[in-house]
Amino acid sequence: MRLPLLDERLQKAANMFPACAYGADIGADHGRLSCYLLAHNRCKRMCVSDLSAPSLEKAKRLISMHGMAERADFCVGDGLLVLHEKADAIAVLGMGGKTIATILQQGKDKLQGARLIVSAHTEVPLLRKALVSVGYTIEDEEIAHAGGRFYILINAVPGDGSYSEEELLIGPKLMQQKKEHYIPYLEWRRGVLSCENSDEGKKQLAMIEEALKNAADSQ
């Protein structure tokens, strides 16, 4: 049976996952990422969790359909609190930045040095701050384009991170490496921020404009 196709966002998240004995997909929803990681033996076993029982049932059906249910722990619960053994890598995707920040801070004791693959739909600077607050540093970042919008994927490991306001807004690794979609992403962010009338919005817009100028100058 053919595996479900991953969009660019989920594929880049999967690419960030290290080969490991036990991985976790927190907020798994349809379970496509977990299914891919198990099928490609990126993770020998996985904790597949969601706050919603109906959503988790979708993931369970998909993974069972591909004959891998015995390699998955299906858990209904809140954030990292579902983890009952140490995970080598943990994905938290598809939520708002504030929600993921709360998950990381409330479940800090459950991290135990796991690699984190996180992606927020909103408030990405807040998510970067939260990573620093739980003792993590950003090792890599990617931009994905899926469903007509851009997403930032962050790969973080334990360490001391310290970032400028501009790095928190745009991304330290993105600013350094100017990866795929970098300029289109900044142009999209500029369009979003151009509707902001607050002082903070104007400040962020100025930083985006400066980053765009620097990216154009380096080409």
Side-chain angles (χ1 to χ4, degrees), residues 1-4 23-25 28-39 43-50 55-75:
M1 184 179 295
R2 182 178 295 179
L3 289 168
D25 186 2
D29 192 24
H30 40 59
R32 288 184 191 135
L33 177 63
S34 299
C35 188
Y36 179 96
L37 294 170
L38 288 168
C43 300
K44 290 181 181 177
R45 294 173 50 243
M46 287 200 74
C47 172
V48 183
S49 83
D50 204 282
S55 288
L56 188 64
E57 189 58 37
K58 287 188 291 183
K60 189 173 184 178
R61 279 200 303 270
L62 177 65
I63 292 168
S64 298
M65 200 164 47
H66 289 277
M68 300 181 295
E70 74 283 355
R71 293 169 56 200
D73 298 325
F74 298 99
C75 306

Side-chain angles (χ1 to χ4, degrees), residues 27-219:
D29 192 24
H30 40 59
R32 288 184 191 135
L33 177 63
S34 299
C35 188
Y36 179 96
L37 294 170
L38 288 168
H40 288 82
N41 291 311
R42 193 69 63 83
C43 300
K44 290 181 181 177
R45 294 173 50 243
M46 287 200 74
C47 172
V48 183
S49 83
D50 204 282
L51 189 59
S52 161
S55 288
L56 188 64
E57 189 58 37
K58 287 188 291 183
K60 189 173 184 178
R61 279 200 303 270
L62 177 65
I63 292 168
S64 298
M65 200 164 47
H66 289 277
M68 300 181 295
E70 74 283 355
R71 293 169 56 200
D73 298 325
F74 298 99
C75 306
V76 176
D78 191 5
L80 300 172
L81 304 181
V82 299
L83 289 172
H84 297 299
E85 65 180 278
K86 182 184 181 299
D88 302 298
I90 299 169
V92 190
L93 312 172
M95 307 171 206
K98 186 176 181 180
T99 299
I100 299 179
T102 300
I103 286 172
L104 295 178
Q105 288 157 350
Q106 289 184 345
K108 181 179 177 180
D109 292 343
K110 297 283 190 175
L111 295 175
Q112 300 184 74
R115 179 177 293 274
L116 296 176
I117 297 96
V118 294
S119 178
H121 291 342
T122 59
E123 301 177 291
V124 180
L126 182 62
L127 176 54
R128 291 190 180 102
K129 283 183 183 178
L131 287 167
V132 173
S133 76
V134 296
Y136 274 68
T137 187
I138 296 170
E139 185 174 270
D140 193 20
E141 294 175 294
E142 292 282 354
I143 302 169
H145 188 256
R149 63 161 293 167
F150 293 97
Y151 300 91
I152 304 299
L153 293 113
I154 300 172
N155 195 335
V157 294
D160 293 327
S162 179
Y163 305 111
S164 67
E165 224 175 336
E166 189 177 20
E167 287 173 325
L168 289 171
L169 175 65
I170 299 168
K173 299 302 180 181
L174 297 179
M175 291 176 69
Q176 289 171 16
Q177 300 168 11
K178 300 176 176 58
K179 293 187 176 182
E180 182 186 16
H181 303 314
Y182 183 63
I183 290 178
Y185 166 71
L186 290 177
E187 290 172 339
W188 176 70
R189 288 293 298 146
R190 178 173 63 184
V192 172
L193 288 167
S194 64
C195 303
E196 285 275 344
N197 290 318
S198 67
D199 289 342
E200 183 60 27
K202 291 174 183 176
K203 185 178 176 183
Q204 291 184 359
L205 180 58
M207 287 190 277
I208 295 289
E209 294 280 13
E210 182 65 21
L212 272 167
K213 180 180 180 300
N214 290 339
D217 289 346
S218 67
Q219 286 187 329

